Amino acid sequence: MRRREYLLFLAFVAPNVVLLGVFAYWPVVYNGYLSLTSWDLLSPTKPFVGLANYADMFTDPDFYSVLVRTVLFSGVVVVVSMVAGLAIALLLNQALGGRNFVRTMSFAPHILSGAAIGTIWLFIFDPSYGLLKALLTPLGVASPAWMTDSAWALPGLIIVYLWKNLGFVAVVYLAGLQGLPTDLYEAARIDGAGAWTLFRRLTLPLLSPVTFFIAITSVIGTFQAFDIIAIMTGGGPGDATTTLSWYVYQQAFQALDAGHAGAGAIVMFVILLAITGAQARFMERRVHYR
Amino acid sequence: MTGNDMSRWSRRGFLATLGGVGMGALAGCGGSAYTQVIGATPREYRGRTHVVAWHSFGGILQEALQKLIDEFNQSQNGIFVEAQFQGSYEQTMQKVAAAIIAKQIPDLAVFSEITWRKMHLADALEPVNSYFDDRLGPHTYIDQFIEEGTVQGRTWWIPFARSTPLFYYNKQIFSRAGLPARAPRSWEEFREWAPAMMKVKGKGGTPKAFAMGGTYASWYFQNNVWVWGGNFSKGLDISIGDEPALAAGRWMVDFIRKDRAAYLSQTPDIDFGQGVTACTVLSTGSLKNTSELAKAGGFEIGTGFLPEHEGAFGCPTGGSGFGILRDAPAERKQAAFEFLRFLAQPAKSAQWTMASGYLPVVKAAQKDPKLVALTKQDDNFSTALRQLPKTKPQDLVRPLVSNAGYMMDVGLQKLYSSTESVDAVFGRLQKQLQSRADLIEESYTKHYK
Amino acid sequence: MSAVVGSRRETSNNTTSRGTRRNPLGRGGLYVLLVVVGLVAVIPIYWLLSASVTPSGEIFQFQWFPLHWVWDNYPAAWASAPFGRFYVNSIVVTLAGALIQICVAVLSSYAFAYLRFPAKNLVFLIFLGAMMVPGAVVLLPNYLTIANLGWVNTYAGLVIPGVGSVFAMFLLRQHMMTLPGEVSEAAKVDGAGHLRILWSIILPMSRPMVVTVVVIALVEKWNDFIWPLVATSTDSMRTLPVGLLMLKNVEGFTNWGAVMAATVFVVLPPLVVFFFAQRQIIAGLTQGATKG
């Protein structure tokens, strides 16, 4: 009977195993192989070049810029959306009229297609005709050239991703807040704890599982995020918005350089694995499950 | 798409699903035959030889191309040409590469002066010499263009939408600035004139002098490098890190950062049409479109040759032509060529030129009465033609070395949009491009020597 | 909007009173903040709608309300590319993708929640690892796979690579593990009954979570952009977001009005779905977060 249950287990997970195996894990393995070749997608052979692609990448200062930029982009998006998201959640947790409406509204950008979001914001950012220019001009501020200024393009993209992500983070935090046990707070308040102490000593620790969830999904999300880049900047101007995702896509499908694409993909996978692993480790010690 | 096609897709998808997901993927069960990427076939054209042509023409260019195709489809009863838009030249080439992998290909595709070489090096194109006859041969086309698509005596690339960069200026701004009604002769003169242009008040404030596009920045910049006495490369020896190229870069950087006269734009054509900039350099292929934008903006455009530097002139050719895919079946390759033959009729070539602004690629088209009349009436249409004899193909690195155009565009965009130094950017490019150029040495020797 | 009415219940939540007792800004300040948050979220969407009804001649002059309200952009966008076809493709790909994904996810989540297997947790962890494989990594190999299968420009090629499921499975499993003990007791009876238990007990009890997971899958499939871009090369197989990109390329920036109208084509269905099902979506997502 036990064996029968094992077989049933296998039968139930088999479709998922096959699908993830072929379309998630096999690509990692295959990228590993491609990264050791120099293949232009068109020639019938894939010449073996050993670690040359990796050597090439890691001696190229431009690739380091890509790595730094990726970390910067992900880091800022994740940290800001968590801090600001929590703040918005605290706001939405107040008894204010219309807060449910605002909650719904702020969540809406999260469900829009990246292609559409990119198109909208391209127009908003336009330094000559855009909405932001119209908002900044009366303030006496000249609109930055956003997508054509190396210094502004990445901040611009960060703004777009924050716009997409903030509402989601806030709503998740809000749910966390609403699930907090009131008795603890009452007890603490009787002990004379102030608002800030309550927040630091109770709210934050109690929310740590939520924080953990948001941190991991946001990191993964920002690593996935290249549809908006594809629409808005194509990695430019120059390489000002070339993140690791875009680099891999660009090498594979634009430069037709499967070797560098594969190597970039492997680097990306390893980084993500390391970050997630570290987060999990850290949270294991710090997360307070009830 | 018809109901018939629909069921074909789903049936095929269903069978393939039955074939098994994992097994097939690991075993690589593709057959050896190439299939065609068929879209819709209107009822009246069923049963004809179906030619699929991939192209990169949007907006009014797409309309103009479709008109030619419709005329071709109606002109005979054996062949049906279907046009499929695939994005930019680069995206089209990428799609062709991906299509070859999937063994599901078009028969004919538009390639730029860069992308056809990539396909040629990959042995993906069909040489068209055996299709030529007395009526249609290399002699039909403007020598310069047909020669560019010919390697080792074999022609791989038939000119169609050939262009050169062209200097565009806003006549209204020029006259209000008290400037002569002509394009500046040299970069230095342009720089002298720029402050006057930037003082002219328009509806949205004062304009900049010069908008520079980020895509194809390296095509436009070929002019600067040449007139400063340098090259991107000589053969496959990269020389973008040499002094003349650096000097050209420094001049442009000063024009941007010190004078604040020039800037990088995602949409130089719109900026120009809206009066945000007084001048820009765009392809001749943008002439028609830009004229209409200017008309909407309420001003007249002027065009001129690219600026010189110390008496030196330089202008690259560019644009695109058609390549026939080697792996298409013989019957469809022949049919595809029949379409090219149609396009090579002087009247058709002229029609395309008048609708777009691209150069006429067929010698006899220049004498087409309608085109002659138009050039007499609108001087801008003749600018490119008059400039043409002074132009030449680009330095080899950009067309030949894989991804080089993109990398150079990235480098130039960096110069145009950040504070990095020319020496640093071009220095890195020199190294990166040289190592890529070394990679194709063997293939280059095989195909070109 | 139904969304607002939907969550009235939470207003009575006792945590609220705790917050209002002392805030440094005063109620007025809080309302200002609330309005700002709402505006920041809404204005870009409003801007999109407003631009889509602005005549192309006026679109480059900023105004909060279109001076002349025109619908021309919509038919112009619709005619400039086979958007009807894109809709059909998007609907097929979205529905098929979501349906298959849910089946796959339900089966495997049930297995992880109720069936015994050696080293089950390790297997689960390996599953979760797939979440760490970013889209950019799988793109080229998956293209090569579907190319080998002859699936380029087919619905199978569009759908199948995306139906393996980690997140949906995770959420469902978490939910199933919170169901009362009798359910898992029932599940422990003879194996022959498992499919029945799943169908007639577990699924009905998991309905809110299943709805959530379905909606998340629908939104995700609808919005997917890079994969359909890579996996198709003809208009007859393109989905809406890819069609939008193509339109943007075709029209350049010269016809912003039409591009904006086409963008509305893309965002309208998910927005409508969201406003009707926002409670389930939000509740489900947060359940994944707080119970994870």
Side-chain angles (χ1 to χ4, degrees), chain C residues 1 3 5 7 14 26 49 55 84 92 98 107 120 144 152-153 170 175 184-186 190-191 203 222 233 244 260 267:
Chain C
M1 242 161 259
V5 189
S7 21
N14 45 16
L49 296 174
V92 170
L107 280 179
K120 195 164 84 172
L144 298 175
V152 173
N153 285 321
F170 177 76
H175 182 80
S184 47
E185 287 308 314
D190 186 73
L203 271 187
W222 184 269
S233 59
L244 174 63
M260 287 291 150
V267 299

Side-chain angles (χ1 to χ4, degrees), chain A residues 5-6 8-9 16 23 25 27 31 93-95 97 99 103 107 111 113 116 134 163 171 175 189 195 213 224 272, chain C residues 7 11 16 18-19 22 27 31 40 62 108 116 126 129-130 132 135 137 142 165 194 223 267 270 274 282 286 289:
Chain A
E5 197 170 322
Y6 288 175
L8 198 68
F9 177 90
N16 217 358
F23 294 110
Y25 280 114
N31 267 313
N93 201 29
Q94 313 290 317
R99 67 187 182 127
R103 182 184 76 150
F107 194 86
I111 55 146
S113 132
W163 181 74
V171 165
R189 213 170 281 134
F213 171 86
Q224 301 273 21
L272 206 50
Chain C
S7 21
T11 339
T16 336
R18 194 169 64 231
R22 63 222 126 58
R27 280 189 83 74
Y31 270 111
V40 167
F62 174 81
S108 47
R116 281 169 298 177
I126 294 175
M132 257 136 276
V137 169
N142 279 355
S165 146
H194 278 292
N223 290 339
V267 299
F274 172 68
I282 293 177
T286 49

Side-chain angles (χ1 to χ4, degrees), chain B residues 272-295:
Chain B
F272 182 71
Q274 291 292 315
V276 172
T277 180
C279 312
T280 187
V281 168
L282 295 169
S283 156
T284 55
S286 307
L287 182 58
K288 183 80 181 179
N289 192 38
T290 310
S291 308
E292 292 194 354
L293 286 172
K295 207 183 288 167

